[in-house]
Amino acid sequence: MILILGGTAEARELAAALVAAGIEVTSSLAGRVANPRLPEGAVRIGGFGGPVGLAEWLRENDVSCVVDATHPFAERITENAATACTRAGLPLLALSRPGWSERPGDRWFWADDLAAAADAIPGLGSRVLLTTGRQGLAAFAGLGHTWLLIRCVDPPEPPLPAQHKLLLDRGPYTLEGELKLIDAHGIDLIVTKDSGGEHTIAKLDAARERGLPVLIVRRPARPSVAGVATVAEALDWARAHAG
Ligand code: NAP
């Protein structure tokens, strides 16, 4: 059986491809989202209890290999997967979509993490579309004079910035929809993680069209494990390691 550490569109696509290929697969979700989009095939939800718990789970469930298809900013589970697979002597592949690349007309600024992004915001804009996700919003709580439209899937926990509006949405987003949102709220800055992929790229296209700056949080460093960028490559690898 193949374990996919999921929570991304790519993880769902890979699960569907493995099911279609007749390969036994279990997808694992953290359980952060109240109503997650469920992948095809078996699904388990919730943490494993650190790398030790994950290594145990791999042994008990007779897993032959693991694909870490988690979000590029999910640092802990990726570290845990590397440690647990080494411990269990199992092959591990990282499936990670490439980050976004600047195109002509873009006005991008980079921050090393959420705290650095919060520091940079006052110099770049005063009405912000914040799309960094529900977790880590405390980093922006001190922004007293900035208005933020916080878009995330589920309601975030406090502390939150004094001046904000919540927009609960999970996409998919379109260029037309993003332009409407920008215009309706007088947005003058977009803040995002470098998540990559097509699912949330419309905001970058919309920013270019309106000449708005985008502040992008760089990806964290990941452990050095074998990696691929596409579901097709991960499928080939999984077929070869299915046992
Ligand atoms: P994280 O900080 O790397 O992980 C924290 C803990 O959550 C892990 O130690 C693990 O608990 C549990 N966990 C995380 N992903 C898991 C999974 N796929 N299956 C089972 N347990 C998991 O993770 P995160 O940044 O909170 O992300 C959580 C999930 O949301 C991930 O699956 C990720 O793909 C998805 N996601 C994250 C982001 C983001 O920006 N971080 C964006 C979109 C989607 P134990 O130690 O108890 O095993």
Side-chain angles (χ1 to χ4, degrees), residues 4-8 28-30 32 44 46-51 54 69-71 73-78 80 132 135 193:
I4 300 176
L5 297 168
T8 58
S28 175
L29 305 179
R32 298 269 188 282
R44 66 162 299 287
F48 295 94
L54 176 53
T70 55
H71 191 271
F73 282 79
E75 288 182 78
R76 190 132 46 95
I77 187 67
T78 288
N80 292 357
T132 52
Q135 294 182 73
K193 289 175 173 171

mmCIF file of all heavy atoms in Angstrom, residues 4-8 28-30 32 44 46-51 54 69-71 73-78 80 132 135 193, ligand 1:
data_model
loop_
_atom_site.group_PDB
_atom_site.id
_atom_site.type_symbol
_atom_site.label_atom_id
_atom_site.label_comp_id
_atom_site.label_asym_id
_atom_site.label_seq_id
_atom_site.Cartn_x
_atom_site.Cartn_y
_atom_site.Cartn_z
ATOM 1 N N ILE A 4 -0.061 8.434 0.779
ATOM 2 C CA ILE A 4 0.115 9.808 0.293
ATOM 3 C C ILE A 4 -0.157 10.749 1.449
ATOM 4 O O ILE A 4 -1.235 10.705 2.046
ATOM 5 C CB ILE A 4 -0.868 10.146 -0.856
ATOM 6 C CG1 ILE A 4 -0.662 9.220 -2.052
ATOM 7 C CG2 ILE A 4 -0.681 11.594 -1.290
ATOM 8 C CD1 ILE A 4 -1.680 9.457 -3.170
ATOM 9 N N LEU A 5 0.825 11.573 1.769
ATOM 10 C CA LEU A 5 0.584 12.645 2.727
ATOM 11 C C LEU A 5 0.002 13.794 1.917
ATOM 12 O O LEU A 5 0.668 14.304 0.995
ATOM 13 C CB LEU A 5 1.885 13.037 3.420
ATOM 14 C CG LEU A 5 2.498 11.895 4.247
ATOM 15 C CD1 LEU A 5 3.921 12.242 4.672
ATOM 16 C CD2 LEU A 5 1.642 11.584 5.467
ATOM 17 N N GLY A 6 -1.241 14.155 2.214
ATOM 18 C CA GLY A 6 -1.980 14.997 1.282
ATOM 19 C C GLY A 6 -2.328 16.381 1.792
ATOM 20 O O GLY A 6 -1.588 16.992 2.549
ATOM 21 N N GLY A 7 -3.488 16.847 1.337
ATOM 22 C CA GLY A 7 -3.924 18.198 1.684
ATOM 23 C C GLY A 7 -3.730 19.170 0.534
ATOM 24 O O GLY A 7 -3.821 20.377 0.724
ATOM 25 N N THR A 8 -3.435 18.639 -0.656
ATOM 26 C CA THR A 8 -3.240 19.493 -1.833
ATOM 27 C C THR A 8 -3.999 18.898 -3.017
ATOM 28 O O THR A 8 -4.365 17.716 -3.001
ATOM 29 C CB THR A 8 -1.744 19.552 -2.231
ATOM 30 O OG1 THR A 8 -1.293 18.217 -2.496
ATOM 31 C CG2 THR A 8 -0.895 20.165 -1.143
ATOM 32 N N SER A 28 -3.544 10.608 3.585
ATOM 33 C CA SER A 28 -3.614 11.109 4.950
ATOM 34 C C SER A 28 -3.811 12.622 4.946
ATOM 35 O O SER A 28 -3.089 13.347 4.267
ATOM 36 C CB SER A 28 -2.315 10.761 5.687
ATOM 37 O OG SER A 28 -2.336 11.353 6.965
ATOM 38 N N LEU A 29 -4.800 13.075 5.722
ATOM 39 C CA LEU A 29 -5.061 14.514 5.872
ATOM 40 C C LEU A 29 -4.851 14.901 7.322
ATOM 41 O O LEU A 29 -5.100 14.106 8.223
ATOM 42 C CB LEU A 29 -6.498 14.840 5.458
ATOM 43 C CG LEU A 29 -6.929 14.413 4.056
ATOM 44 C CD1 LEU A 29 -8.397 14.784 3.822
ATOM 45 C CD2 LEU A 29 -6.044 15.062 3.001
ATOM 46 N N ALA A 30 -4.430 16.151 7.529
ATOM 47 C CA ALA A 30 -4.141 16.599 8.895
ATOM 48 C C ALA A 30 -5.408 16.778 9.718
ATOM 49 O O ALA A 30 -5.390 16.668 10.942
ATOM 50 C CB ALA A 30 -3.353 17.905 8.844
ATOM 51 N N ARG A 32 -7.191 19.725 9.442
ATOM 52 C CA ARG A 32 -7.279 21.164 9.736
ATOM 53 C C ARG A 32 -8.563 21.790 9.198
ATOM 54 O O ARG A 32 -9.109 22.707 9.781
ATOM 55 C CB ARG A 32 -6.130 21.927 9.064
ATOM 56 C CG ARG A 32 -4.781 21.557 9.505
ATOM 57 C CD ARG A 32 -4.312 22.409 10.660
ATOM 58 N NE ARG A 32 -2.923 22.105 10.900
ATOM 59 C CZ ARG A 32 -2.517 21.030 11.542
ATOM 60 N NH1 ARG A 32 -3.393 20.194 12.051
ATOM 61 N NH2 ARG A 32 -1.233 20.783 11.697
ATOM 62 N N ARG A 44 -7.335 8.590 5.733
ATOM 63 C CA ARG A 44 -7.266 8.671 7.191
ATOM 64 C C ARG A 44 -7.052 10.140 7.541
ATOM 65 O O ARG A 44 -6.421 10.875 6.778
ATOM 66 C CB ARG A 44 -6.154 7.784 7.756
ATOM 67 C CG ARG A 44 -4.778 8.264 7.360
ATOM 68 C CD ARG A 44 -3.673 7.723 8.189
ATOM 69 N NE ARG A 44 -3.749 8.059 9.589
ATOM 70 C CZ ARG A 44 -3.503 9.266 10.091
ATOM 71 N NH1 ARG A 44 -3.211 10.278 9.315
ATOM 72 N NH2 ARG A 44 -3.567 9.459 11.389
ATOM 73 N N GLY A 46 -6.018 13.086 10.603
ATOM 74 C CA GLY A 46 -5.438 13.386 11.912
ATOM 75 C C GLY A 46 -3.955 13.092 11.948
ATOM 76 O O GLY A 46 -3.441 12.340 11.107
ATOM 77 N N GLY A 47 -3.262 13.717 12.915
ATOM 78 C CA GLY A 47 -1.818 13.524 13.052
ATOM 79 C C GLY A 47 -1.469 12.086 13.436
ATOM 80 O O GLY A 47 -2.322 11.327 13.887
ATOM 81 N N PHE A 48 -0.194 11.745 13.246
ATOM 82 C CA PHE A 48 0.286 10.399 13.563
ATOM 83 C C PHE A 48 0.942 10.343 14.939
ATOM 84 O O PHE A 48 1.226 9.262 15.448
ATOM 85 C CB PHE A 48 1.330 9.959 12.532
ATOM 86 C CG PHE A 48 0.784 9.804 11.139
ATOM 87 C CD1 PHE A 48 0.855 10.846 10.229
ATOM 88 C CD2 PHE A 48 0.201 8.603 10.734
ATOM 89 C CE1 PHE A 48 0.362 10.707 8.942
ATOM 90 C CE2 PHE A 48 -0.289 8.458 9.444
ATOM 91 C CZ PHE A 48 -0.205 9.511 8.549
ATOM 92 N N GLY A 49 1.219 11.526 15.505
ATOM 93 C CA GLY A 49 1.970 11.548 16.756
ATOM 94 C C GLY A 49 3.468 11.638 16.490
ATOM 95 O O GLY A 49 4.244 10.844 17.058
ATOM 96 N N GLY A 50 3.861 12.571 15.630
ATOM 97 C CA GLY A 50 5.284 12.801 15.356
ATOM 98 C C GLY A 50 5.887 11.706 14.493
ATOM 99 O O GLY A 50 5.197 10.767 14.073
ATOM 100 N N PRO A 51 7.212 11.818 14.255
ATOM 101 C CA PRO A 51 7.878 10.861 13.367
ATOM 102 C C PRO A 51 7.840 9.429 13.891
ATOM 103 O O PRO A 51 7.746 8.479 13.109
ATOM 104 C CB PRO A 51 9.328 11.377 13.293
ATOM 105 C CG PRO A 51 9.454 12.413 14.339
ATOM 106 C CD PRO A 51 8.109 12.900 14.689
ATOM 107 N N LEU A 54 4.413 8.080 13.132
ATOM 108 C CA LEU A 54 4.283 7.853 11.689
ATOM 109 C C LEU A 54 5.035 6.580 11.278
ATOM 110 O O LEU A 54 4.501 5.747 10.524
ATOM 111 C CB LEU A 54 4.809 9.075 10.915
ATOM 112 C CG LEU A 54 4.833 8.972 9.391
ATOM 113 C CD1 LEU A 54 3.468 8.571 8.825
ATOM 114 C CD2 LEU A 54 5.278 10.305 8.774
ATOM 115 N N ALA A 69 3.034 14.624 -0.563
ATOM 116 C CA ALA A 69 2.435 15.595 -1.493
ATOM 117 C C ALA A 69 1.802 16.731 -0.704
ATOM 118 O O ALA A 69 0.823 17.331 -1.140
ATOM 119 C CB ALA A 69 1.405 14.897 -2.376
ATOM 120 N N THR A 70 2.347 17.023 0.467
ATOM 121 C CA THR A 70 1.785 18.102 1.292
ATOM 122 C C THR A 70 2.151 19.456 0.688
ATOM 123 O O THR A 70 2.998 19.560 -0.201
ATOM 124 C CB THR A 70 2.310 18.031 2.745
ATOM 125 O OG1 THR A 70 3.737 18.043 2.725
ATOM 126 C CG2 THR A 70 1.812 16.774 3.432
ATOM 127 N N HIS A 71 1.519 20.480 1.213
ATOM 128 C CA HIS A 71 1.746 21.842 0.736
ATOM 129 C C HIS A 71 3.204 22.240 0.987
ATOM 130 O O HIS A 71 3.783 21.847 2.003
ATOM 131 C CB HIS A 71 0.786 22.768 1.500
ATOM 132 C CG HIS A 71 0.717 24.135 0.950
ATOM 133 N ND1 HIS A 71 1.558 25.141 1.356
ATOM 134 C CD2 HIS A 71 -0.095 24.683 0.011
ATOM 135 C CE1 HIS A 71 1.258 26.255 0.705
ATOM 136 N NE2 HIS A 71 0.256 25.998 -0.120
ATOM 137 N N PHE A 73 4.458 24.672 2.243
ATOM 138 C CA PHE A 73 4.683 25.357 3.517
ATOM 139 C C PHE A 73 4.378 24.468 4.726
ATOM 140 O O PHE A 73 4.451 24.928 5.859
ATOM 141 C CB PHE A 73 3.858 26.651 3.584
ATOM 142 C CG PHE A 73 4.478 27.768 2.787
ATOM 143 C CD1 PHE A 73 4.336 27.823 1.410
ATOM 144 C CD2 PHE A 73 5.241 28.747 3.413
ATOM 145 C CE1 PHE A 73 4.921 28.841 0.664
ATOM 146 C CE2 PHE A 73 5.835 29.765 2.677
ATOM 147 C CZ PHE A 73 5.678 29.812 1.295
ATOM 148 N N ALA A 74 4.032 23.214 4.501
ATOM 149 C CA ALA A 74 3.778 22.294 5.618
ATOM 150 C C ALA A 74 5.125 21.682 6.031
ATOM 151 O O ALA A 74 5.506 20.603 5.603
ATOM 152 C CB ALA A 74 2.783 21.216 5.204
ATOM 153 N N GLU A 75 5.854 22.405 6.887
ATOM 154 C CA GLU A 75 7.248 22.046 7.176
ATOM 155 C C GLU A 75 7.381 20.827 8.075
ATOM 156 O O GLU A 75 8.240 19.981 7.885
ATOM 157 C CB GLU A 75 7.939 23.219 7.889
ATOM 158 C CG GLU A 75 8.216 24.398 7.006
ATOM 159 C CD GLU A 75 8.948 25.495 7.766
ATOM 160 O OE1 GLU A 75 10.166 25.351 7.971
ATOM 161 O OE2 GLU A 75 8.290 26.467 8.161
ATOM 162 N N ARG A 76 6.519 20.775 9.090
ATOM 163 C CA ARG A 76 6.720 19.764 10.140
ATOM 164 C C ARG A 76 6.449 18.357 9.618
ATOM 165 O O ARG A 76 7.240 17.439 9.827
ATOM 166 C CB ARG A 76 5.837 20.087 11.362
ATOM 167 C CG ARG A 76 6.135 19.250 12.564
ATOM 168 C CD ARG A 76 6.295 20.052 13.842
ATOM 169 N NE ARG A 76 5.253 21.050 14.035
ATOM 170 C CZ ARG A 76 4.152 20.854 14.763
ATOM 171 N NH1 ARG A 76 3.926 19.677 15.333
ATOM 172 N NH2 ARG A 76 3.286 21.821 14.937
ATOM 173 N N ILE A 77 5.325 18.191 8.906
ATOM 174 C CA ILE A 77 4.972 16.850 8.435
ATOM 175 C C ILE A 77 6.017 16.361 7.424
ATOM 176 O O ILE A 77 6.338 15.166 7.375
ATOM 177 C CB ILE A 77 3.533 16.811 7.840
ATOM 178 C CG1 ILE A 77 3.103 15.386 7.514
ATOM 179 C CG2 ILE A 77 3.406 17.693 6.626
ATOM 180 C CD1 ILE A 77 2.907 14.491 8.685
ATOM 181 N N THR A 78 6.586 17.298 6.674
ATOM 182 C CA THR A 78 7.612 16.925 5.693
ATOM 183 C C THR A 78 8.882 16.440 6.404
ATOM 184 O O THR A 78 9.492 15.442 6.015
ATOM 185 C CB THR A 78 7.875 18.133 4.760
ATOM 186 O OG1 THR A 78 6.735 18.266 3.921
ATOM 187 C CG2 THR A 78 9.092 17.935 3.888
ATOM 188 N N ASN A 80 8.885 15.192 9.406
ATOM 189 C CA ASN A 80 8.497 13.923 10.043
ATOM 190 C C ASN A 80 8.526 12.766 9.046
ATOM 191 O O ASN A 80 8.932 11.651 9.381
ATOM 192 C CB ASN A 80 7.083 14.027 10.630
ATOM 193 C CG ASN A 80 7.014 14.967 11.817
ATOM 194 O OD1 ASN A 80 8.041 15.497 12.245
ATOM 195 N ND2 ASN A 80 5.821 15.189 12.335
ATOM 196 N N THR A 132 -2.535 34.239 2.916
ATOM 197 C CA THR A 132 -1.499 33.321 3.388
ATOM 198 C C THR A 132 -2.074 32.136 4.154
ATOM 199 O O THR A 132 -1.320 31.298 4.636
ATOM 200 C CB THR A 132 -0.488 34.071 4.289
ATOM 201 O OG1 THR A 132 -1.219 34.769 5.305
ATOM 202 C CG2 THR A 132 0.337 35.063 3.494
ATOM 203 N N GLN A 135 -3.563 29.705 9.235
ATOM 204 C CA GLN A 135 -2.562 29.569 10.288
ATOM 205 C C GLN A 135 -1.530 30.694 10.193
ATOM 206 O O GLN A 135 -1.195 31.135 9.095
ATOM 207 C CB GLN A 135 -1.850 28.233 10.157
ATOM 208 C CG GLN A 135 -2.781 27.061 10.405
ATOM 209 C CD GLN A 135 -2.027 25.757 10.304
ATOM 210 O OE1 GLN A 135 -1.249 25.398 11.174
ATOM 211 N NE2 GLN A 135 -2.242 25.052 9.213
ATOM 212 N N LYS A 193 1.598 33.384 0.055
ATOM 213 C CA LYS A 193 2.755 32.484 0.104
ATOM 214 C C LYS A 193 3.104 32.081 -1.325
ATOM 215 O O LYS A 193 2.232 32.097 -2.197
ATOM 216 C CB LYS A 193 2.393 31.218 0.886
ATOM 217 C CG LYS A 193 2.213 31.422 2.373
ATOM 218 C CD LYS A 193 1.723 30.115 3.000
ATOM 219 C CE LYS A 193 1.681 30.214 4.511
ATOM 220 N NZ LYS A 193 1.000 29.042 5.116
HETATM 221 P P1 NAP B 1 2.621 21.007 9.495
HETATM 222 O O1 NAP B 1 2.806 22.244 10.303
HETATM 223 O O2 NAP B 1 3.734 20.589 8.619
HETATM 224 O O3 NAP B 1 2.276 19.776 10.418
HETATM 225 C C1 NAP B 1 1.881 19.898 11.774
HETATM 226 C C2 NAP B 1 1.374 18.566 12.237
HETATM 227 O O4 NAP B 1 0.126 18.267 11.623
HETATM 228 C C3 NAP B 1 2.278 17.399 11.844
HETATM 229 O O5 NAP B 1 3.330 17.260 12.756
HETATM 230 C C4 NAP B 1 1.294 16.255 11.827
HETATM 231 O O6 NAP B 1 0.975 15.840 13.144
HETATM 232 C C5 NAP B 1 0.037 16.890 11.297
HETATM 233 N N1 NAP B 1 -0.076 16.757 9.838
HETATM 234 C C6 NAP B 1 0.225 17.685 8.878
HETATM 235 N N2 NAP B 1 -0.075 17.224 7.664
HETATM 236 C C7 NAP B 1 -0.578 15.992 7.840
HETATM 237 C C8 NAP B 1 -1.105 15.012 6.954
HETATM 238 N N3 NAP B 1 -1.164 15.229 5.618
HETATM 239 N N4 NAP B 1 -1.546 13.845 7.487
HETATM 240 C C9 NAP B 1 -1.498 13.621 8.828
HETATM 241 N N5 NAP B 1 -1.020 14.513 9.710
HETATM 242 C C10 NAP B 1 -0.585 15.685 9.226
HETATM 243 O O7 NAP B 1 1.301 21.113 8.599
HETATM 244 P P2 NAP B 1 0.397 22.380 8.249
HETATM 245 O O8 NAP B 1 1.233 23.436 7.606
HETATM 246 O O9 NAP B 1 -0.449 22.690 9.425
HETATM 247 O O10 NAP B 1 -0.508 21.738 7.106
HETATM 248 C C11 NAP B 1 -1.496 20.793 7.446
HETATM 249 C C12 NAP B 1 -2.066 20.203 6.192
HETATM 250 O O11 NAP B 1 -2.655 21.233 5.402
HETATM 251 C C13 NAP B 1 -1.040 19.498 5.318
HETATM 252 O O12 NAP B 1 -1.567 18.240 4.964
HETATM 253 C C14 NAP B 1 -0.869 20.411 4.117
HETATM 254 O O13 NAP B 1 -0.673 19.684 2.918
HETATM 255 C C15 NAP B 1 -2.174 21.191 4.090
HETATM 256 N N6 NAP B 1 -2.004 22.575 3.648
HETATM 257 C C16 NAP B 1 -1.125 23.386 4.285
HETATM 258 C C17 NAP B 1 -0.955 24.688 3.855
HETATM 259 C C18 NAP B 1 0.049 25.608 4.506
HETATM 260 O O14 NAP B 1 0.168 26.753 4.045
HETATM 261 N N7 NAP B 1 0.787 25.186 5.512
HETATM 262 C C19 NAP B 1 -1.710 25.161 2.773
HETATM 263 C C20 NAP B 1 -2.613 24.285 2.145
HETATM 264 C C21 NAP B 1 -2.758 23.012 2.593
HETATM 265 P P3 NAP B 1 1.717 14.624 13.867
HETATM 266 O O15 NAP B 1 3.092 15.128 14.193
HETATM 267 O O16 NAP B 1 0.862 14.322 15.043
HETATM 268 O O17 NAP B 1 1.761 13.487 12.863
#
